[in-house]
Amino acid sequence: MDKKITFGSHFGTIAAVGGSVIGLGNIWRFPYLVGSSGGSAFLIVYILCSLLIAVPIMMSELLLGRHTRSNPFGAFRKLSEYKIWSMVGLLGIITVFCIFAFYSVVAGWAISFFKTAIFEGFTGHSSQEISSNFKQYINTGWQPSLAALIFIVLTAGVVIGGIKKGIERINKILMPVLLVIIVGLFIYSFSLDGFSQAMNFLLQPDFSKIGINTIFAAFGQAFFSMSLGMGAMIAYGAYVRPETSIPRLTLTIALADLTIALLAGFAIFPGVFTYGIEPTSGPTLIFETLPLVFSMMPAGNFIGIIFFFLVFIAAITSSVSMLEPIVQFVMQELNATRAKAVVFISTLIGIAAVLCAYSQVENSSLIVFGENIFDFLNDATAKFSMPIGAFLIVIFTGWVVQKDIVYKQITNDGRHSNSLYFYYRMLLRYFIPAVLGVFILTTLFN
């Protein structure tokens, strides 16, 4: 990779990196986890996980990428004489491949629902009809497969354009659009009768509901939402300009990620409470529950169109950050052109996505360890490969990478706070490995 290739501007950097972390994790995953994990009790744990664990890990991934100007595999290879460490980068590439496979299926759902909102609408449909239609759609196999393939092609079209003309340009356009839409939906939610009830649900903590499952859910969400342990931040770090402050960039992105997730909850739950819908609906919250809400509210069809367009935007801005590290790897390690790498990897992901979609068909034989392929990849990446990858990244950055390299990247050659570097290093070397180690071992034994 040409080491001179960087994001073109500070705003472009924020938009691109922010686009990676602000995605379906905020719009699809976060609301149903809040609903099923104790409401605001989950929020408190999630914020602590983000600030004390996720932010330092993101800083570590960005600095590895910026210092080496390399893909995740190459970054570890360049910074250690022991080849075994390069396997950590390879684990990240495999992880992001698996995530993109099932992620594209969910994004395909958003495309299909966006089409339904435009041409059919949700008005007049009962909860049984909406649920039945969604299950019928899933059980066709070919429809979610086709939608996922369309999404993969759209993502490939962005990535094939390169960093400035592809990834940075699309994020500079879509991220402001996403913010305007979600703020608009939040403002609209003020007019709904369930707004105050939703605020209580989201903001009044019930500490009795904080248990091991809440902590595990918060950990998984922090890693999934902030694209950690899967190489995406290392790949994007390779394009971060030398003068950019990594701590400032990371904190900005983390704040934006949390803000968008909260706004999504504030936009979604008032309608859920207004129309007496169960807020703990699970993963299908925005695909079964919200269409019912749209069917009952004034101007529901129009709101549905806007909402599912928002979901699509969130999906595409994150998906380009998933495809880029794999493309980066193929380009650098196999000496392929960007176009050939994008086509090759997109084809493989398309095959995996089709398997994920068909594994959800009723009575499907596409089962791995008792789960369909879609659920297996979702659980395996969120509970195992991302936390394990992040654990190895912090060990590598805190104990293997030369201290002066880390210092120069975090402080921009001493131009920024030394005290921040001190706290970062303490978290990286002791606190985060201990917490992640307990989390991983507990998950394995459970």
Side-chain angles (χ1 to χ4, degrees):
M1 185 182 75
D2 187 348
K3 294 185 177 182
K4 295 181 180 179
I5 297 177
T6 63
F7 292 118
S9 65
H10 181 63
F11 174 68
T13 304
I14 293 176
V17 180
S20 174
V21 304
I22 298 170
L24 288 183
N26 305 79
I27 311 299
W28 166 62
R29 215 168 186 266
F30 185 83
Y32 87 70
L33 283 176
V34 172
S36 61
S37 302
S40 58
F42 171 84
L43 283 178
I44 294 172
V45 178
Y46 176 73
I47 291 171
L48 290 175
C49 286
S50 297
L51 293 178
L52 296 178
I53 298 174
V55 165
I57 295 174
M58 181 183 286
M59 290 168 61
S60 301
E61 294 196 31
L62 288 171
L63 79 83
L64 292 177
R66 184 165 72 175
H67 177 76
T68 61
R69 297 294 179 187
S70 183
N71 68 83
F73 177 83
F76 284 90
R77 188 189 64 231
K78 290 180 178 180
L79 288 170
S80 174
E81 61 185 42
Y82 299 103
K83 294 183 179 180
I84 189 66
W85 280 110
S86 62
M87 293 300 101
V88 179
L90 188 60
L91 173 63
I93 291 170
I94 294 172
T95 298
V96 77
F97 181 95
C98 293
I99 292 174
F100 195 10
F102 74 80
Y103 189 94
S104 61
V105 176
V106 180
W109 297 350
I111 292 175
S112 297
F113 273 74
F114 179 59
K115 177 180 72 70
T116 299
I118 292 176
F119 294 106
E120 300 175 28
F122 304 108
T123 302
H125 294 281
S126 66
S127 61
Q128 291 79 9
E129 288 176 321
I130 291 172
S131 178
S132 176
N133 289 340
F134 183 60
K135 289 176 181 177
Q136 288 176 10
Y137 167 77
I138 295 295
N139 282 325
T140 64
W142 71 267
Q143 290 188 59
S145 294
L146 178 60
L149 292 174
I150 291 172
F151 180 78
I152 292 170
V153 170
L154 292 173
T155 302
V158 175
V159 175
I160 207 168
I163 301 305
K164 293 182 180 179
K165 294 182 179 179
I167 295 174
E168 183 177 351
R169 177 180 293 175
I170 197 70
N171 278 288
K172 286 170 72 174
I173 296 171
L174 292 183
M175 289 307 295
V177 172
L178 182 149
L179 181 61
V180 168
I181 291 176
I182 201 165
V183 169
L185 290 174
F186 170 62
I187 293 173
Y188 173 80
S189 70
F190 275 96
S191 66
L192 300 177
D193 294 336
F195 182 81
S196 60
Q197 191 175 357
M199 294 303 101
N200 291 335
F201 176 75
L202 288 169
L203 298 179
Q204 288 187 357
D206 182 357
F207 294 104
S208 66
K209 292 185 178 181
I210 297 181
I212 191 66
N213 290 332
T214 302
I215 296 172
F216 277 18
F219 260 92
Q221 173 61 16
F223 283 100
F224 184 90
S225 180
M226 297 184 71
S227 305
L228 302 178
M230 60 183 188
M233 290 297 105
I234 296 177
Y236 271 17
Y239 305 122
V240 173
R241 298 187 300 173
E243 65 271 21
T244 298
S245 168
I246 286 179
R248 190 175 301 163
L249 171 64
T250 306
L251 289 172
T252 300
I253 297 305
L255 180 60
D257 176 69
L258 179 61
T259 300
I260 295 297
L262 287 173
L263 284 174
F266 295 155
I268 289 171
F269 283 111
V272 170
F273 282 108
T274 297
Y275 297 101
I277 306 300
E278 179 58 48
T280 58
S281 301
T284 59
L285 173 68
I286 67 173
F287 295 106
E288 286 189 273
T289 304
L290 288 185
L292 177 60
V293 173
F294 297 146
S295 73
M296 295 185 287
M297 66 168 49
N301 287 338
F302 176 74
I303 299 298
I305 292 172
I306 298 299
F307 178 80
F308 285 111
F309 183 59
L310 166 69
V311 175
F312 168 73
I313 291 176
I316 197 76
T317 56
S318 289
S319 65
V320 294
S321 73
M322 296 182 197
L323 184 55
E324 177 60 24
I326 316 175
V327 169
Q328 205 182 62
F329 170 78
V330 173
M331 289 170 60
Q332 294 180 359
E333 306 302 328
L334 302 181
N335 294 318
T337 64
R338 174 171 286 272
K340 289 182 179 179
V342 169
V343 171
F344 174 66
I345 296 302
S346 297
T347 301
L348 294 181
I349 292 175
I351 294 171
V354 169
L355 291 175
C356 286
Y358 271 94
S359 75
Q360 292 187 303
V361 174
E362 192 173 356
N363 299 320
S364 171
S365 60
L366 297 172
I367 304 295
V368 179
F369 295 114
E371 291 185 302
N372 65 56
I373 294 176
F374 180 101
D375 290 336
F376 171 76
L377 293 181
N378 188 4
D379 288 339
T381 53
K383 296 179 181 178
F384 297 103
S385 63
M386 282 194 289
I388 290 172
F391 175 80
L392 294 173
I393 286 170
V394 296
I395 293 295
F396 182 77
T397 310
W399 295 95
V400 178
V401 178
Q402 294 179 18
K403 183 179 178 180
D404 64 321
I405 292 176
V406 178
Y407 176 80
K408 287 179 180 179
Q409 290 296 328
I410 294 299
T411 66
N412 280 48
D413 289 325
R415 291 192 297 272
H416 298 299
S417 171
N418 287 333
S419 59
L420 176 62
Y421 166 76
F422 172 78
Y423 290 117
Y424 161 77
R425 190 164 177 80
M426 290 300 102
L427 288 173
L428 199 68
R429 289 166 65 93
Y430 303 107
F431 178 74
I432 296 176
V435 173
L436 287 181
V438 171
F439 171 77
I440 292 168
L441 289 175
T442 304
T443 304
L444 287 172
F445 282 115
N446 283 340

